[in-house]
PDB file of all heavy atoms in Angstrom:
ATOM      1  N   MET A 287       8.611  11.351   0.782  1.00 79.00           N
ATOM      2  CA  MET A 287       9.020  10.250   1.657  1.00 79.00           C
ATOM      3  C   MET A 287      10.024   9.345   0.960  1.00 79.00           C
ATOM      4  O   MET A 287      10.973   8.859   1.582  1.00 79.00           O
ATOM      5  CB  MET A 287       7.795   9.435   2.083  1.00 79.00           C
ATOM      6  CG  MET A 287       6.919  10.098   3.119  1.00 79.00           C
ATOM      7  SD  MET A 287       5.437   9.106   3.489  1.00 79.00           S
ATOM      8  CE  MET A 287       6.203   7.585   4.049  1.00 79.00           C
ATOM      9  N   MET A 288       9.824   9.109  -0.335  1.00 85.00           N
ATOM     10  CA  MET A 288      10.735   8.251  -1.086  1.00 85.00           C
ATOM     11  C   MET A 288      12.129   8.884  -1.161  1.00 85.00           C
ATOM     12  O   MET A 288      13.138   8.208  -0.946  1.00 85.00           O
ATOM     13  CB  MET A 288      10.199   8.018  -2.496  1.00 85.00           C
ATOM     14  CG  MET A 288      11.078   7.097  -3.332  1.00 85.00           C
ATOM     15  SD  MET A 288      10.428   6.813  -4.991  1.00 85.00           S
ATOM     16  CE  MET A 288      10.682   8.434  -5.712  1.00 85.00           C
ATOM     17  N   VAL A 289      12.173  10.181  -1.482  1.00 87.00           N
ATOM     18  CA  VAL A 289      13.460  10.877  -1.549  1.00 87.00           C
ATOM     19  C   VAL A 289      14.161  10.827  -0.198  1.00 87.00           C
ATOM     20  O   VAL A 289      15.364  10.533  -0.101  1.00 87.00           O
ATOM     21  CB  VAL A 289      13.260  12.332  -2.004  1.00 87.00           C
ATOM     22  CG1 VAL A 289      14.560  13.112  -1.896  1.00 87.00           C
ATOM     23  CG2 VAL A 289      12.746  12.378  -3.434  1.00 87.00           C
ATOM     24  N   VAL A 290      13.405  11.107   0.849  1.00 86.00           N
ATOM     25  CA  VAL A 290      13.980  11.091   2.199  1.00 86.00           C
ATOM     26  C   VAL A 290      14.453   9.694   2.565  1.00 86.00           C
ATOM     27  O   VAL A 290      15.509   9.521   3.188  1.00 86.00           O
ATOM     28  CB  VAL A 290      12.950  11.606   3.230  1.00 86.00           C
ATOM     29  CG1 VAL A 290      13.417  11.319   4.653  1.00 86.00           C
ATOM     30  CG2 VAL A 290      12.718  13.096   3.035  1.00 86.00           C
ATOM     31  N   GLN A 291      13.676   8.670   2.159  1.00 83.00           N
ATOM     32  CA  GLN A 291      14.068   7.294   2.476  1.00 83.00           C
ATOM     33  C   GLN A 291      15.396   6.933   1.815  1.00 83.00           C
ATOM     34  O   GLN A 291      16.250   6.278   2.422  1.00 83.00           O
ATOM     35  CB  GLN A 291      12.976   6.330   2.006  1.00 83.00           C
ATOM     36  CG  GLN A 291      13.197   4.885   2.412  1.00 83.00           C
ATOM     37  CD  GLN A 291      13.023   4.665   3.899  1.00 83.00           C
ATOM     38  OE1 GLN A 291      12.078   5.181   4.491  1.00 83.00           O
ATOM     39  NE2 GLN A 291      13.928   3.926   4.510  1.00 83.00           N
ATOM     40  N   ILE A 292      15.566   7.367   0.563  1.00 88.00           N
ATOM     41  CA  ILE A 292      16.818   7.084  -0.142  1.00 88.00           C
ATOM     42  C   ILE A 292      17.985   7.790   0.534  1.00 88.00           C
ATOM     43  O   ILE A 292      19.042   7.195   0.783  1.00 88.00           O
ATOM     44  CB  ILE A 292      16.703   7.506  -1.617  1.00 88.00           C
ATOM     45  CG1 ILE A 292      15.664   6.632  -2.340  1.00 88.00           C
ATOM     46  CG2 ILE A 292      18.055   7.394  -2.320  1.00 88.00           C
ATOM     47  CD1 ILE A 292      15.301   7.133  -3.719  1.00 88.00           C
ATOM     48  N   VAL A 293      17.797   9.071   0.842  1.00 90.00           N
ATOM     49  CA  VAL A 293      18.850   9.828   1.527  1.00 90.00           C
ATOM     50  C   VAL A 293      19.121   9.226   2.906  1.00 90.00           C
ATOM     51  O   VAL A 293      20.279   9.105   3.335  1.00 90.00           O
ATOM     52  CB  VAL A 293      18.457  11.313   1.655  1.00 90.00           C
ATOM     53  CG1 VAL A 293      19.463  12.076   2.511  1.00 90.00           C
ATOM     54  CG2 VAL A 293      18.355  11.955   0.280  1.00 90.00           C
ATOM     55  N   MET A 294      18.047   8.828   3.577  1.00 89.00           N
ATOM     56  CA  MET A 294      18.186   8.220   4.901  1.00 89.00           C
ATOM     57  C   MET A 294      19.012   6.937   4.825  1.00 89.00           C
ATOM     58  O   MET A 294      19.940   6.724   5.627  1.00 89.00           O
ATOM     59  CB  MET A 294      16.799   7.920   5.465  1.00 89.00           C
ATOM     60  CG  MET A 294      16.813   7.222   6.806  1.00 89.00           C
ATOM     61  SD  MET A 294      17.059   8.349   8.184  1.00 89.00           S
ATOM     62  CE  MET A 294      15.434   9.081   8.313  1.00 89.00           C
ATOM     63  N   ASN A 295      18.689   6.061   3.869  1.00 87.00           N
ATOM     64  CA  ASN A 295      19.431   4.805   3.737  1.00 87.00           C
ATOM     65  C   ASN A 295      20.912   5.048   3.474  1.00 87.00           C
ATOM     66  O   ASN A 295      21.788   4.397   4.064  1.00 87.00           O
ATOM     67  CB  ASN A 295      18.840   3.959   2.605  1.00 87.00           C
ATOM     68  CG  ASN A 295      17.518   3.323   2.971  1.00 87.00           C
ATOM     69  OD1 ASN A 295      17.160   3.232   4.149  1.00 87.00           O
ATOM     70  ND2 ASN A 295      16.769   2.887   1.971  1.00 87.00           N
ATOM     71  N   LYS A 296      21.193   5.997   2.581  1.00 89.00           N
ATOM     72  CA  LYS A 296      22.587   6.296   2.271  1.00 89.00           C
ATOM     73  C   LYS A 296      23.313   6.884   3.481  1.00 89.00           C
ATOM     74  O   LYS A 296      24.477   6.544   3.759  1.00 89.00           O
ATOM     75  CB  LYS A 296      22.653   7.266   1.088  1.00 89.00           C
ATOM     76  CG  LYS A 296      22.249   6.646  -0.244  1.00 89.00           C
ATOM     77  CD  LYS A 296      22.320   7.667  -1.361  1.00 89.00           C
ATOM     78  CE  LYS A 296      22.033   7.046  -2.714  1.00 89.00           C
ATOM     79  NZ  LYS A 296      23.093   6.128  -3.160  1.00 89.00           N
ATOM     80  N   SER A 297      22.614   7.754   4.214  1.00 91.00           N
ATOM     81  CA  SER A 297      23.220   8.370   5.405  1.00 91.00           C
ATOM     82  C   SER A 297      23.454   7.339   6.503  1.00 91.00           C
ATOM     83  O   SER A 297      24.499   7.332   7.161  1.00 91.00           O
ATOM     84  CB  SER A 297      22.335   9.503   5.927  1.00 91.00           C
ATOM     85  OG  SER A 297      22.226  10.532   4.973  1.00 91.00           O
ATOM     86  N   LEU A 298      22.458   6.459   6.696  1.00 90.00           N
ATOM     87  CA  LEU A 298      22.600   5.418   7.716  1.00 90.00           C
ATOM     88  C   LEU A 298      23.762   4.478   7.386  1.00 90.00           C
ATOM     89  O   LEU A 298      24.510   4.051   8.270  1.00 90.00           O
ATOM     90  CB  LEU A 298      21.301   4.621   7.832  1.00 90.00           C
ATOM     91  CG  LEU A 298      20.106   5.358   8.456  1.00 90.00           C
ATOM     92  CD1 LEU A 298      18.831   4.554   8.265  1.00 90.00           C
ATOM     93  CD2 LEU A 298      20.347   5.634   9.937  1.00 90.00           C
ATOM     94  N   LYS A 299      23.883   4.161   6.104  1.00 88.00           N
ATOM     95  CA  LYS A 299      24.985   3.302   5.679  1.00 88.00           C
ATOM     96  C   LYS A 299      26.334   3.984   5.918  1.00 88.00           C
ATOM     97  O   LYS A 299      27.267   3.378   6.467  1.00 88.00           O
ATOM     98  CB  LYS A 299      24.812   2.968   4.193  1.00 88.00           C
ATOM     99  CG  LYS A 299      25.953   2.139   3.598  1.00 88.00           C
ATOM    100  CD  LYS A 299      25.725   1.922   2.099  1.00 88.00           C
ATOM    101  CE  LYS A 299      26.911   1.230   1.449  1.00 88.00           C
ATOM    102  NZ  LYS A 299      26.724   1.077  -0.011  1.00 88.00           N
ATOM    103  N   TYR A 300      26.440   5.259   5.535  1.00 90.00           N
ATOM    104  CA  TYR A 300      27.716   5.971   5.637  1.00 90.00           C
ATOM    105  C   TYR A 300      28.091   6.244   7.096  1.00 90.00           C
ATOM    106  O   TYR A 300      29.196   5.885   7.539  1.00 90.00           O
ATOM    107  CB  TYR A 300      27.620   7.294   4.873  1.00 90.00           C
ATOM    108  CG  TYR A 300      28.864   8.142   4.965  1.00 90.00           C
ATOM    109  CD1 TYR A 300      30.005   7.820   4.226  1.00 90.00           C
ATOM    110  CD2 TYR A 300      28.905   9.259   5.801  1.00 90.00           C
ATOM    111  CE1 TYR A 300      31.158   8.596   4.323  1.00 90.00           C
ATOM    112  CE2 TYR A 300      30.041  10.042   5.901  1.00 90.00           C
ATOM    113  CZ  TYR A 300      31.168   9.709   5.162  1.00 90.00           C
ATOM    114  OH  TYR A 300      32.295  10.479   5.258  1.00 90.00           O
ATOM    115  N   TYR A 301      27.166   6.864   7.834  1.00 93.00           N
ATOM    116  CA  TYR A 301      27.496   7.214   9.217  1.00 93.00           C
ATOM    117  C   TYR A 301      27.453   6.004  10.142  1.00 93.00           C
ATOM    118  O   TYR A 301      28.128   5.984  11.177  1.00 93.00           O
ATOM    119  CB  TYR A 301      26.551   8.304   9.725  1.00 93.00           C
ATOM    120  CG  TYR A 301      26.798   9.643   9.057  1.00 93.00           C
ATOM    121  CD1 TYR A 301      25.957  10.108   8.067  1.00 93.00           C
ATOM    122  CD2 TYR A 301      27.903  10.423   9.416  1.00 93.00           C
ATOM    123  CE1 TYR A 301      26.192  11.332   7.436  1.00 93.00           C
ATOM    124  CE2 TYR A 301      28.143  11.649   8.789  1.00 93.00           C
ATOM    125  CZ  TYR A 301      27.285  12.086   7.805  1.00 93.00           C
ATOM    126  OH  TYR A 301      27.521  13.292   7.184  1.00 93.00           O
TER     127      TYR A 301
END
Side-chain angles (χ1 to χ4, degrees):
M287 285 177 59
M288 182 179 70
V289 172
V290 168
Q291 186 70 44
I292 294 169
V293 173
M294 177 81 77
N295 286 343
K296 290 179 175 291
S297 297
L298 290 169
K299 176 183 174 183
Y300 177 76
Y301 290 103

